[in-house]
Amino acid sequence: MSGSVLSMSRPAAAAAGHNLLAKQLNCNGNGTSNGGVAAKTTVASAITPPKQPQLAAKVIQQSKIVCFDVDSTVICEEGIDELAEFCGKGSEVARVTKEAMGGAMTFQDALKIRLNIIRPTQQQVKDFIEERPSTLSKNVKRFVSHLKAEGKQVYLISGGFDCLIAPVATELGIPLSRVYANKMLFDYMGAYDSFDITQPTSRSGGKAEAIALIKQQHPEDSLITMIGDGATDLEAVPPANYFIGFGGNVVRPEVYRRAQYYVTDFEQLMGQ
């Protein structure tokens, strides 16, 4: 018998551990810079000029629905890599990730192989969330609040796992019904069993599938914008109407090259 841990609530994080992680990533729990030096974040924002940020802000104004990628977009980290490191399998998983990015395997196969390497128990996942809470990207919390104040519908669409994303959604005030992500399954003893292959985000092209499902829930003329750092986010158009690349944490050169709109700080999308 298997079950998802999506409903797992976020435990209170130890302040010292959270602050250390925040300093390493040049972010803090409110998604604002704390002045620390983090090469990945600083280099991305310092040397990568935004592309048409004023027009991107207008796209946001016109959109009824705004969908976010999570890893390296809403949060500073890549969830599965962090979990692998926490479970002592970081280097092994990194090798598979590199092969997958080179096109050596499908997204679903890469996900299966990585999880079979990590094989996290339900308790390990709970401990991971408590000890290494995700770090919100700079200004994302303020941006999401701005979107909601403007009456826009906000969704999270991720190739990561709902149990890791649920605390992030809760912190941002996004209902879990508006989270599209993968589900880890555990047996009755809490050991890792598998993941739900029926979820659209478990396979290549899954983010486009998720947006198609979202589109069915809203009036036909509702404009949808996808925001993310990766190629899978870029490829969600269509059915999304617009894509805005985000490079506040890491810049993917191919995404930067192909994106019509690109920002490195969510503040650039608030028209200020």
Side-chain angles (χ1 to χ4, degrees), residues 39-55:
K40 181 176 74 170
T41 300
T42 304
V43 170
S45 59
I47 68 172
T48 305
K51 294 170 71 173
Q52 305 193 84
Q54 293 86 1
L55 289 178

Side-chain angles (χ1 to χ4, degrees), residues 49-75:
K51 294 170 71 173
Q52 305 193 84
Q54 293 86 1
L55 289 178
K58 289 183 179 179
V59 164
I60 292 296
Q61 289 175 5
Q62 295 169 1
S63 298
K64 178 64 177 174
I65 301 160
V66 180
C67 302
F68 290 85
D69 172 46
V70 178
D71 293 347
S72 294
T73 299
V74 169
I75 64 173

Side-chain angles (χ1 to χ4, degrees), residues 7 13 18 22 29 31 40 64-65 86 93 101 109 122 130 136 141 184-185 189-190 216 231 233 236 244 255 262:
S7 60
H18 193 182
K40 181 176 74 170
K64 178 64 177 174
I65 301 160
F86 182 80
V93 167
M101 289 180 69
D109 286 343
Q122 201 166 24
E130 180 177 359
L136 293 180
K141 192 168 187 176
M184 266 188 252
L185 305 175
M189 294 287 288
Q216 293 172 12
D233 308 309
I244 298 173
V255 175
Y262 199 94

Side-chain angles (χ1 to χ4, degrees), residues 70-240:
V70 178
D71 293 347
S72 294
T73 299
V74 169
I75 64 173
C76 299
E77 307 91 351
E78 289 285 332
I80 194 168
D81 293 341
E82 294 290 315
L83 179 62
E85 184 184 339
F86 182 80
C87 295
K89 302 290 185 178
S91 59
E92 294 174 65
V93 167
R95 283 196 295 271
V96 177
T97 300
K98 186 176 180 180
E99 289 179 25
M101 289 180 69
M105 63 190 79
T106 67
F107 179 83
Q108 193 170 86
D109 286 343
L111 197 59
K112 181 179 180 180
I113 292 170
R114 286 182 289 179
L115 280 173
N116 281 336
I117 291 171
I118 304 169
R119 300 197 70 81
T121 65
Q122 201 166 24
Q123 186 60 51
Q124 281 180 310
V125 172
K126 290 179 180 179
D127 291 344
F128 171 71
I129 292 172
E130 180 177 359
E131 296 176 30
R132 296 194 186 180
S134 298
T135 313
L136 293 180
S137 296
K138 181 181 178 183
N139 288 322
V140 70
K141 192 168 187 176
R142 192 156 66 90
F143 181 46
V144 169
S145 295
H146 169 79
L147 293 174
K148 292 193 291 184
E150 294 289 320
K152 302 184 189 304
Q153 305 292 312
V154 180
Y155 289 82
L156 300 180
I157 305 177
S158 175
F161 290 91
D162 60 0
C163 52
L164 307 182
I165 294 167
V168 176
T170 299
E171 188 168 352
L172 293 174
I174 298 172
L176 298 184
S177 60
R178 293 183 187 165
V179 175
Y180 287 78
N182 292 311
K183 299 180 185 294
M184 266 188 252
L185 305 175
F186 302 90
D187 67 19
Y188 72 98
M189 294 287 288
Y192 173 74
D193 180 45
S194 59
F195 65 96
D196 185 356
I197 62 173
T198 68
Q199 295 300 313
T201 52
S202 72
R203 51 187 175 267
S204 301
K207 290 183 180 179
E209 282 188 53
I211 289 178
L213 292 171
I214 292 168
K215 206 160 194 167
Q216 293 172 12
Q217 303 167 31
H218 296 274
E220 193 173 342
D221 61 350
S222 297
L223 292 182
I224 301 179
T225 294
M226 180 73 196
I227 301 174
D229 68 286
T232 58
D233 308 309
L234 178 69
E235 291 161 2
V237 178

